[in-house]
Amino acid sequence: MSLTVIRPGILTTIQDLGRTGYQRYGVVVGGALDPGAARVANLLVGNAEREAVLEMTLGGSVFHFHKPMIVAVCGGDLSAELDGGLLPLWRPVYVNEGSVLRLGTSVSGCRAYLAAAGGFDVPEVMGSRSTYLRGAVGGFEGRALKAGDELSVRQPGENAERIRQLLTPEPGEDAQIRWHAGHFAIAGSGEEQIVRAVPGTHFHLFTSKSRAAFFSQAFRIGIQSDRMGCRLEGPTKLQLEAPLEMLSEGAVLGTVQAPPSGEPIVLLADRQTTGGYPRIAQVAAVDISVLAQLKPGSRFRFEAITRQESERLYLAGERDIQLLKAAIALKLRAI
Amino acid sequence: MINGERGGHGDYELFPLGDCAVLIRFGVVMDEALNRIVHAFAAQLEEKPFAGMIECTPAFASVTVHYDPLAVMRSRTQAESTHSTIYETVSLRLRLYLPTLEPSDMQTERTVVEIPVCYGEEYGPDLAFVAEHNGLTEEEVVAIHSGSSYLVYMIGFAPGFPYLGGMPERIAAPRHKTPRTVIPAGSVGIAGNQTGVYSVATPGGWQLIGRTPLQLFRPGQTPPSLLQAGAEVRFQPIARAEFENYGRDA
């Protein structure tokens, strides 16, 4: 046993990058809602990027560590504190035996990810450690964490040991690790965010008023939003020009569906594998993290981009992660 | 405008679904022959996935193919490297599978799966409504429902949930106006002209006529779903005692 959950907070689950290969059986992909933050957190502690991490929602979580270990917290700023002091985000941190990590309230963002060197030790179900709440599958007993749960972390590899050396130097040496990945943080907190999206396969079937409103009006993140999707509220309801008979078809991350209510839903990690609502738009994969970090009640606007641009942004985002990986490998080799 | 492009072989359209998926649509109606094409195409992809393909999701009349853009990019041939986007490369790779679809691929025998159902009473609280709505007795509804065979067009909505075709219209019934907050796994229901079996406990508005003791979603088993698309389903009425003792002897 490596750490105890003292308080789970609003919703804390174990997630990795999702469960692929089983969508044909209706098994949802799931995984971290902000995959970028989860990947970076893992890389910072020397893990493979798809290792299992804790996804903490809106703060309130408290953990007690029973073993010294290397951790990193990335994603939203939920006022993380380690033994009463501010815990720096987006960088590896050495945690002592007996330490307490506490998340307060959200300064910016909605979800924070805790990676521990070695990765959280829960069994893989269908090739993934992600918790799928509705199916009661994966993660920690197929459910959200509760007070008193005891989590184990697997034996960390060589990378973690090198990072530990960097973080706990001999007396008299500089104790501060100098590298961090803060540039992955979603910029801006208070003001209205922008989410880039490509017009969807049914965009042209919506009324001109709906089409115009979609890319101009401010949307509010509804309180009913969850791991399945962001429910959006806006002054203009999105309506089709004429009723559309639609068969269920495959659904993907970031699809903006418009059900008859006219209030769109952006599909997130725990989306169904198939859906039957018209697709008014498709959020660029790179901006899924922006949505995942928007709190219920906050506002944003969609900005139209082309499919080509969206793909270019995706590749650029992946390049950033590769660069971070290479930079960390270089640092560790230098020790 | 992001409309699909029409293909040359037979009738299909390709649509981009975000940065990591393509939708191939063979039609817009629920049709057995179309559905056979869907599953033959999906089977080919599974058998010989292209470099960078992750998985595919067959549906009523379409297949969604999920891919890893970086892996596709790294596996591009010299000819493909002139493509302006990864989507274009994936689309062209997908088109290569289509002409090889043979009618013989689509003549496969259907697996028949029998699903025992305890109809009515607490397991089927809406059986009386479905009967009344159609001017039938409860026994007649059960006889019609269990006397037909159904095609599993696709699995979706929830893990292991089958979309079934072939329910006689004589037992059709509208959904509940206000969905129930929880429907137990195994519940057999009717919604419009469709019948289905809830594979996990979820909220839902279907008229519940019975329940099966079988587990449709089997996490960790291979495959994790009792039913697969293309199978034929028959419902077998069982008594309450049989439902309650189901699986105990085994």
Side-chain angles (χ1 to χ4, degrees), chain A residues 36-106:
Chain A
R39 292 165 81 184
V40 171
N42 272 321
L43 291 176
L44 290 173
V45 299
N47 288 347
E49 53 190 287
R50 59 166 311 117
E51 209 36 85
V53 298
L54 297 189
E55 178 180 275
M56 302 165 289
T57 317
L58 289 168
S61 318
V62 182
F63 305 98
H64 182 206
F65 292 87
H66 301 293
K67 264 194 202 168
M69 64 179 87
I70 314 287
V71 303
V73 177
C74 296
D77 181 354
L78 307 183
S79 315
E81 282 184 6
L82 187 67
D83 299 325
L86 214 62
L87 177 93
L89 305 179
W90 302 98
R91 65 175 71 209
V93 176
Y94 180 76
V95 172
N96 267 310
E97 182 179 341
S99 282
V100 173
L101 170 68
R102 189 180 291 273
L103 277 87
T105 53
S106 161

Side-chain angles (χ1 to χ4, degrees), chain B residues 155-166:
Chain B
I155 306 288
F157 169 66
F161 180 93
Y163 281 89
L164 300 174

